[in-house]
Amino acid sequence: MEHDSCSSSCSSCTYGSSSGYSSVSSAATDLGYEETPLALFQQLENEIGTNIHLGVDLSKFSQEVWGLDKEIFDKVLAMPMALEKMDVEKYRECTKDDDLHKSFLDISGPLLRDVSKELGDEENETFTDTFWDRLLQNPASRSRQSVPDVVNTWKPLPPAGATPSLSTAKSVFELKRIPREKEKQEEEDIEEVDEKDEEDADVRDGAVRGEEDNDDNDESKPTPSSKEDADSQRSLDIEVSKRTASTLKRSFDSVKDADDEDGGSPKKQRCGDETALKNSLLPLYATDAMASSSRYYVVGVVVDRFAVTVCYFDRFLVTCVASFSFEEEPSKLALTLYAMNRCDRLRAGFDPHLQPAADNESGKTRPVENIIGSIFEYPDTPSSSGTCLRVSGVIRQPDELIGRATAVYKVRRRLADGSFSEEEYVYKLSWPSKTRLSEIEVIEILKERLPKDAHDHLPDVTFTRTLTAEDLKLPWLRLGLDLTSDNHKERVLRGMMGKFYHKLWEAGSIENFKRAWLDCVECLHLARKLGKALHRDLSESNLMVLKCLGGEVKGVLNDWDMAKFLDREDDDPSTDEHRTGTLPFMAFNLVIPKPSPHWFRHDLESLLWILLWAALHYNLEEGTRDAVTHPSLRDLTTSLDANWRFKAAFLTYSPLPLREIRAGVKPEFTDLFEEWIEPLRELFVDGMMMNRRCNRDGKNCDEVTYNGIVTFKSFMEAIKVTPRTWGIPNFLAGTDDF
């Protein structure tokens, strides 16, 4: 089971604005207003890649996604609707974002009221939905990038000036920005007029300076969240805020998921540059909405002047309804507003297995707003027993749109008497490739192949549940999409519950830290030697600590969902030549522009990078990790290019790279730095230098082990530790070293 944290600046999750939305505005502050959207837009487009499907019929979409009857659809489209010419012209002539926003609301509000009245729903009190819009915020703290323009949500609205939580957003809207050149030109024209007539100065100050767009002048700064905030929904929303300046490059996340097929570079969109999602923030809002709770999909709307495009987002793909002009077809806008406002929470994509606390009757209609205290309930199936889990904490929330999107929660299990256990467990939800061996299968195979004494160093899983797209009844299955291997990858929703383990920095002492780290090293070797498996994603997040009675600890090697069996043909072969891992801890040969295949020595090298990271960030006695990346290691977290250049400099005989690093080593790690980190560094340097000499002289080199220089045996010899033999005769006497 995975046990990760989002509190470190080295990770892609950064505590952000207390509004509970993605902290894009802080990125704008750091990078400059003009540059940030372009970088962010490119990142979002790359995330979607080719997994986008255009031109879906609105009628089909309304029926299959929102559950709207075909009869009602036809009735709404047949209604005689015409927009007021004055409203249309006012909207057309808008040159400021806020004015455009208000004008759109003035047009769309009556459309929704008219269609509701015509269908007899105007006074229907069973409909508890409403719309919140960005203009309700305090203008001094408003930011177009951090808050959707309009949110369809449940009543009541948040207090004046506050924003609704995306955890309960049924759908979100984005009104495309007015080109800044147009705003700038209007401001210049006003200034010219003012120079001729200074008597209008007071009017100018009130009408222009007081109402101008606040994006450039937003001085509100994200406030870091404390650990004590972790039990509130607001802090959960904050943990979703992941798009800061440093994360525009996906610095700390896995550089490449093994279940993605497209190598190191994202595929470009097949749909051209004129799609509604070009330069759109809607994918970001959808990502954050799905991350704020366990959610299957989100629907959003992009309004680009008069063009309206309805979009559907989930972990598989993105679909867009054929765009329409609400000036020419106002009934389609009315229908869109009505359908999304009237659909229930299941049709809005919320997880039916996630319910509020048992005593909360609103859970029958409303989705969970605060995931802490809520309940995951899974019924029995013919093949497995169900379970009921109460969420007691959030360990990790996903920050990707399409992909594995792993979420991890602390939970308590319901007992036979209806109470919940005192013991906490970890519950992991992810969307891995359907064709890969599941993590639980990997663990089961390893336990079959490894000696029983080693089982304590593998995760203890007590419940699993796998659901396919068909099980979830995802609506795109019925939209008639043209699915190919280029635009679609089969995934499953997989839940795993297991024992709760502590993080490596919570070991309690340097002795316990070393014991846990060594256990993971030896478990890794066993998995390769007897299990015929490579882990391929070692990081500080998956070397865990099991605290035993008497103060002893055991290391647990976690997160096997990237593992690859070398002797099984049924494991997904599509990932054999693609790099996998978590950037700061990936081996040098895996982050260079032309990465090598993944070998066991790469996992050994990752263990060195974990030691180095720990020596500069862990406070073992306090059980904490520094929230800010040490300056000497910052290049490990920014980009592939900076990462491999740092590692190339570190893995040389020159003492220069060590000076700044050594100065930052924590006192607890001083001896470990000299006794383990420096000898291991020299070991890998020796191997790399030998390889370079072979290449220079035209000689063949065994790159798997650098001609036997970097192996498990030499690794353990470098740190002067005698490996265990696990009761296996001649366990280390063979020639199959790697």
Side-chain angles (χ1 to χ4, degrees):
M1 299 301 299
E2 184 164 350
H3 185 170
D4 197 4
S5 173
C6 296
S7 62
S8 170
S9 64
C10 66
S11 78
S12 62
C13 176
T14 303
Y15 289 116
S17 167
S18 60
S19 66
Y21 293 88
S22 180
S23 54
V24 179
S25 57
S26 66
T29 302
D30 294 337
L31 296 183
Y33 178 82
E34 294 292 346
E35 292 78 12
T36 301
L38 295 178
L40 180 61
F41 293 149
Q42 185 61 57
Q43 178 189 336
L44 295 173
E45 290 168 14
N46 287 343
E47 284 194 33
I48 295 172
T50 61
N51 301 293
I52 186 168
H53 303 262
L54 305 176
V56 175
D57 179 68
L58 180 60
S59 173
K60 190 76 170 175
F61 189 95
S62 300
Q63 295 172 65
E64 301 300 344
V65 178
W66 290 318
L68 190 70
D69 290 340
K70 180 67 163 58
E71 180 180 351
I72 295 179
F73 178 91
D74 293 337
K75 185 174 182 179
V76 173
L77 289 193
M79 292 179 185
M81 293 188 180
L83 303 180
E84 294 290 339
K85 290 185 178 180
M86 184 178 300
D87 291 340
V88 172
E89 289 307 311
K90 179 181 178 182
Y91 181 78
R92 193 191 313 277
E93 294 173 1
C94 287
T95 58
K96 290 187 176 296
D97 287 327
D98 284 2
D99 293 342
L100 187 78
H101 187 133
K102 185 177 184 305
S103 185
F104 176 77
L105 296 177
D106 291 342
I107 292 173
S108 58
L111 287 176
L112 177 58
R113 288 194 296 272
D114 289 348
V115 72
S116 298
K117 182 178 181 179
E118 185 69 21
L119 295 174
D121 289 337
E122 187 179 27
E123 304 299 331
N124 192 336
E125 295 183 359
T126 64
F127 295 128
T128 58
D129 301 28
T130 187
F131 286 85
W132 174 93
D133 70 86
R134 182 176 56 88
L135 298 184
L136 295 174
Q137 270 192 309
N138 185 337
S141 60
R142 190 186 303 153
S143 170
R144 279 295 303 270
Q145 282 73 43
S146 63
V147 182
D149 293 299
V150 178
V151 178
N152 177 209
T153 187
W154 274 264
K155 296 176 183 177
L157 285 175
T163 57
S165 171
L166 281 180
S167 62
T168 58
K170 286 181 67 175
S171 53
V172 292
F173 285 68
E174 179 192 17
L175 275 64
K176 283 287 190 74
R177 293 183 58 83
I178 296 174
R180 292 187 58 76
E181 293 78 9
K182 191 167 185 178
E183 290 186 350
K184 184 177 180 181
Q185 182 61 50
E186 186 202 12
E187 291 170 1
E188 291 175 351
D189 292 343
I190 293 175
E191 289 175 0
E192 290 178 4
V193 172
D194 291 337
E195 288 175 359
K196 296 179 181 179
D197 191 356
E198 294 185 0
E199 291 181 0
D200 291 337
D202 293 337
V203 176
R204 182 180 72 246
D205 289 342
V208 179
R209 295 178 184 172
E211 297 178 2
E212 65 185 359
D213 188 84
N214 288 285
D215 289 351
D216 295 335
N217 302 316
D218 183 7
E219 297 178 355
S220 62
K221 300 291 184 180
T223 302
S225 176
S226 64
K227 283 187 174 181
E228 289 74 13
D229 292 332
D231 59 352
S232 68
Q233 179 61 31
R234 186 63 63 197
S235 69
L236 298 186
D237 289 336
I238 291 171
E239 289 180 358
V240 179
S241 305
K242 304 183 189 278
R243 297 307 204 286
T244 58
S246 63
T247 66
L248 294 178
K249 299 179 180 178
R250 281 268 190 208
S251 63
F252 191 74
D253 264 359
S254 298
V255 170
K256 187 73 195 69
D257 281 356
D259 48 346
D260 293 336
E261 297 180 343
D262 55 317
S265 300
K267 294 179 182 177
K268 299 298 183 183
Q269 287 191 31
R270 63 176 174 86
C271 50
D273 293 337
E274 300 304 319
T275 67
L277 295 182
K278 183 70 177 178
N279 294 343
S280 170
L281 289 170
L282 195 61
L284 174 63
Y285 303 145
T287 301
D288 288 356
M290 285 195 287
S292 60
S293 68
S294 172
R295 189 167 181 177
Y296 299 161
Y297 61 84
V298 173
V299 172
V301 177
V302 177
V303 181
D304 190 356
R305 280 298 180 166
F306 287 98
V308 177
T309 309
V310 182
C311 304
Y312 165 101
F313 303 87
D314 70 11
R315 304 304 186 185
F316 294 74
L317 48 79
V318 175
T319 64
C320 296
V321 171
S323 300
F324 61 86
S325 167
F326 71 80
E327 180 183 20
E328 299 172 0
E329 299 178 286
S331 60
K332 285 189 174 181
L333 177 57
L335 182 138
T336 297
L337 296 170
Y338 178 83
M340 68 171 49
N341 199 42
R342 296 310 189 238
C343 74
D344 60 29
R345 67 185 182 94
L346 299 184
R347 287 288 189 171
F350 291 95
D351 185 353
H353 299 103
L354 181 64
Q355 302 288 342
D359 56 352
N360 191 336
E361 290 299 320
S362 65
K364 297 177 181 178
T365 56
R366 292 175 57 94
V368 167
E369 182 170 0
N370 187 345
I371 198 166
I372 293 180
S374 62
I375 292 173
F376 284 103
E377 187 155 14
Y378 298 93
D380 294 341
T381 68
S383 59
S384 64
S385 299
T387 192
C388 180
L389 310 172
R390 172 170 285 173
V391 179
S392 57
V394 175
I395 297 171
R396 175 179 176 180
Q397 290 178 297
D399 72 335
E400 60 188 321
L401 178 59
I402 295 175
R404 285 190 302 150
T406 301
V408 187
Y409 305 101
K410 284 196 294 186
V411 298
R412 301 183 191 275
R413 191 171 191 171
R414 188 165 64 188
L415 305 176
D417 63 0
S419 64
F420 287 87
S421 63
E422 289 296 324
E423 181 181 2
E424 286 189 312
Y425 298 84
V426 172
Y427 185 54
K428 174 180 176 179
L429 281 169
S430 62
W431 298 80
S433 168
K434 187 177 181 180
T435 58
R436 284 187 55 79
L437 284 175
S438 69
E439 185 175 3
I440 182 59
E441 290 176 303
V442 172
I443 295 170
E444 289 174 347
I445 293 171
L446 288 176
K447 288 187 176 181
E448 291 174 0
R449 296 180 175 185
L450 272 55
K452 190 172 182 179
D453 288 349
H455 292 187
D456 285 344
H457 307 299
L458 292 169
D460 182 13
V461 179
T462 57
F463 168 80
T464 66
R465 181 61 54 93
T466 299
L467 300 168
T468 65
E470 290 75 15
D471 295 330
L472 301 174
K473 298 180 174 59
L474 295 181
W476 55 259
L477 292 167
R478 303 178 296 278
L479 292 179
L481 304 180
D482 181 18
L483 302 177
T484 69
S485 59
D486 289 332
N487 63 29
H488 176 71
K489 186 169 184 65
E490 286 290 340
R491 298 183 181 276
V492 294
L493 174 59
R494 181 165 290 128
M496 291 176 53
M497 186 189 75
K499 186 182 292 291
F500 178 83
Y501 300 111
H502 291 273
K503 302 166 187 176
L504 196 55
W505 59 86
E506 297 173 330
S509 67
I510 191 65
E511 292 78 15
N512 285 350
F513 171 89
K514 293 169 70 174
R515 179 70 269 158
W517 183 86
L518 282 170
D519 284 346
C520 292
V521 173
E522 295 187 278
C523 180
L524 182 76
H525 176 246
L526 269 179
R528 172 62 184 89
K529 186 176 181 69
L530 302 182
K532 310 299 181 185
L534 294 173
H535 188 283
R536 304 198 309 167
D537 187 22
L538 292 179
S539 74
E540 65 166 2
S541 297
N542 46 45
L543 271 64
M544 311 302 297
V545 178
L546 173 62
K547 294 188 176 182
C548 308
L549 295 176
E552 296 182 356
V553 301
K554 293 182 180 181
V556 178
L557 190 53
N558 204 10
D559 262 355
W560 289 89
D561 49 0
M562 289 288 147
K564 172 69 179 176
F565 282 101
L566 304 178
D567 63 343
R568 291 180 65 103
E569 296 181 356
D570 59 345
D571 205 356
D572 187 353
S574 67
T575 64
D576 290 350
E577 298 180 0
H578 302 329
R579 54 183 159 203
T580 62
T582 305
L583 185 55
F585 312 110
M586 290 174 66
F588 169 74
N589 290 127
L590 298 181
V591 295
I592 57 177
K594 294 182 179 180
S596 72
H598 196 118
W599 296 310
F600 182 72
R601 69 169 169 85
H602 294 139
D603 285 346
L604 292 176
E605 186 182 331
S606 292
L607 292 165
L608 167 60
W609 297 118
I610 293 170
L611 282 181
L612 182 64
W613 187 270
L616 276 73
H617 294 96
Y618 289 6
N619 308 295
L620 297 176
E621 291 187 3
E622 293 83 4
T624 63
R625 177 185 59 180
D626 290 349
V628 177
T629 303
H630 192 276
S632 65
L633 301 185
R634 189 172 293 130
D635 284 346
L636 290 176
T637 69
T638 54
S639 68
L640 277 171
D641 183 72
N643 185 287
W644 78 258
R645 292 182 187 280
F646 173 91
K647 289 173 178 173
F650 182 83
L651 296 174
T652 66
Y653 289 122
S654 171
L656 293 178
L658 286 180
R659 292 179 181 175
E660 184 182 2
I661 293 173
R662 185 180 285 109
V665 172
K666 302 280 187 177
E668 295 169 286
F669 286 88
T670 301
D671 291 342
L672 182 144
F673 191 88
E674 295 180 1
E675 296 170 4
W676 282 11
I677 293 177
E678 293 203 41
L680 288 175
R681 171 180 173 267
E682 293 175 2
L683 175 68
F684 285 98
V685 171
D686 288 344
M688 292 180 65
M689 292 302 106
M690 186 281 304
N691 187 56
R692 291 175 186 174
R693 288 192 296 270
C694 287
N695 292 335
R696 181 193 62 197
D697 299 338
K699 298 179 180 179
N700 291 328
C701 175
D702 172 23
E703 293 198 16
V704 176
T705 63
Y706 284 147
N707 280 357
I709 292 179
V710 180
T711 66
F712 171 72
K713 291 179 183 177
S714 64
F715 188 92
M716 299 298 280
E717 289 170 359
I719 60 177
K720 296 181 172 57
V721 174
T722 301
R724 283 173 284 186
T725 60
W726 305 98
I728 303 174
N730 302 316
F731 178 68
L732 299 173
T735 59
D736 60 339
D737 203 7
F738 32 76

